[in-house]
Amino acid sequence: EAGVAQSPRYKIIEKRQSVAFWCNPISGHATLYWYQQILGQGPKLLIQFQNNGVVDDSQLPKDRFSAERLKGVDSTLKIQPAKLEDSAVYLCASSLQGTGAEQYFGPGTRLTVT
Amino acid sequence: AQKVTQAQTEISVVEKEDVTLDCVYETRDTTYYLFWYKQPPSGELVFLIRRNSFDEQNEISGRYSWNFQKSTSSFNFTITASQVVDSAVYFCALRGGGGAQKLVFGQGTRLTINP
């Protein structure tokens, strides 16, 4: 079974530029998550989708971050404009529907903002 | 609020030693779920185990074992006869029982197994 796919794996941009990340979850997984992991810290949830609806985006900096999940499958996360403090690994995860379902993570996109 | 504390930032042992990674959690929920994930140098988080709050049975999987104690709000992870391939950052995580509850991670413990 294919895992969670993410692209690109690495991205370097200058501050104030925009960037977009793509995620394809495990087939059949209704729930999709985007996390931000700053070096030396645990992942922090940015947004959670159930099918194509947003369940939790309380920690998403909405003035610069946006995410969508069209057709309830693939998802994109966008940052516009980027700041230096956005340098981090952006992880996508998916799970079956259900409160305690384990989440499966993709390889992540390492973003460096200079 | 949910909180997970992994007090050990870094652990270094020699191969074949046993090592225990500590995890202490805080939650007001009566139903909750605990997880351990492994993050090798490649960066991908690998799911290891899930425990719900009503199941305090300890679990063993090969060289890995987990000790869940509600009385001390702890969910510790032991690797027996450690191997170099066990070197990674290990995260403990907690999720509450509601449908929209987020998964809260600890800061992680960096485990280095030296040959």
Side-chain angles (χ1 to χ4, degrees), chain B:
Chain B
Q2 326 271 9
K3 185 178 179 182
V4 176
T5 301
Q6 293 180 257
Q8 304 150 309
T9 305
E10 292 191 34
I11 299 176
S12 181
V13 301
V14 177
E15 198 172 21
K16 297 182 184 176
E17 285 187 17
D18 298 347
V19 58
T20 295
L21 310 182
D22 297 334
C23 172
V24 174
Y25 62 91
E26 295 176 29
T27 180
R28 294 179 181 174
D29 291 350
T30 53
T31 300
Y32 52 89
Y33 302 85
L34 294 162
F35 302 80
W36 275 96
Y37 283 85
K38 174 182 180 179
Q39 189 171 44
S42 62
E44 189 165 338
L45 278 159
V46 177
F47 166 76
L48 296 178
I49 190 171
R50 176 190 63 190
R51 260 289 173 266
N52 73 50
S53 51
F54 298 109
D55 182 3
E56 283 195 75
Q57 264 193 325
N58 292 330
E59 179 154 339
I60 298 175
S61 176
R63 297 183 297 105
Y64 295 172
S65 62
W66 291 269
N67 184 355
F68 176 28
Q69 292 194 341
K70 288 179 74 172
S71 60
T72 55
S73 297
S74 64
F75 186 42
N76 296 337
F77 172 32
T78 297
I79 301 175
T80 303
S82 60
Q83 300 177 1
V84 173
V85 293
D86 296 327
S87 296
V89 180
Y90 290 87
F91 290 96
C92 181
L94 164 71
R95 183 174 187 178
Q101 296 271 7
K102 61 174 65 70
L103 189 60
V104 174
F105 285 82
Q107 292 288 85
T109 297
R110 179 176 299 278
L111 176 64
T112 302
I113 311 297
N114 299 297

Side-chain angles (χ1 to χ4, degrees), chain A residues 3 14 16 20 31-32 38 41 45-47 51 58 93 95-96 106:
Chain A
E14 295 181 354
R16 291 187 290 274
T31 311
L32 184 147
I38 293 173
Q41 299 181 18
L45 180 71
L46 292 175
I47 189 167
N51 295 307
S58 57
S95 71
L96 293 169

Side-chain angles (χ1 to χ4, degrees), chain A residues 78-97:
Chain A
K78 297 179 182 178
I79 307 175
Q80 181 179 13
K83 292 185 175 181
L84 295 176
E85 59 260 36
D86 298 332
S87 294
V89 175
Y90 291 84
L91 295 162
C92 180
S94 69
S95 71
L96 293 169
Q97 196 165 339

Side-chain angles (χ1 to χ4, degrees), chain A residues 16-87:
Chain A
R16 291 187 290 274
Q17 286 187 325
S18 62
V19 64
F21 312 128
W22 173 83
C23 173
N24 180 247
I26 292 173
S27 178
H29 281 192
T31 311
L32 184 147
Y33 314 79
W34 283 102
Y35 289 86
Q36 179 192 60
Q37 185 177 20
I38 293 173
L39 187 65
Q41 299 181 18
K44 181 186 82 171
L45 180 71
L46 292 175
I47 189 167
Q48 175 184 342
F49 291 95
Q50 184 74 27
N51 295 307
N52 57 354
V54 175
V55 174
D56 184 350
D57 63 356
S58 57
Q59 298 189 109
L60 186 73
K62 298 180 185 64
D63 58 333
R64 299 184 300 105
F65 286 63
S66 65
E68 61 182 8
R69 190 182 184 196
L70 300 176
K71 301 180 182 178
V73 182
D74 293 6
S75 177
T76 56
L77 175 69
K78 297 179 182 178
I79 307 175
Q80 181 179 13
K83 292 185 175 181
L84 295 176
E85 59 260 36
D86 298 332
S87 294

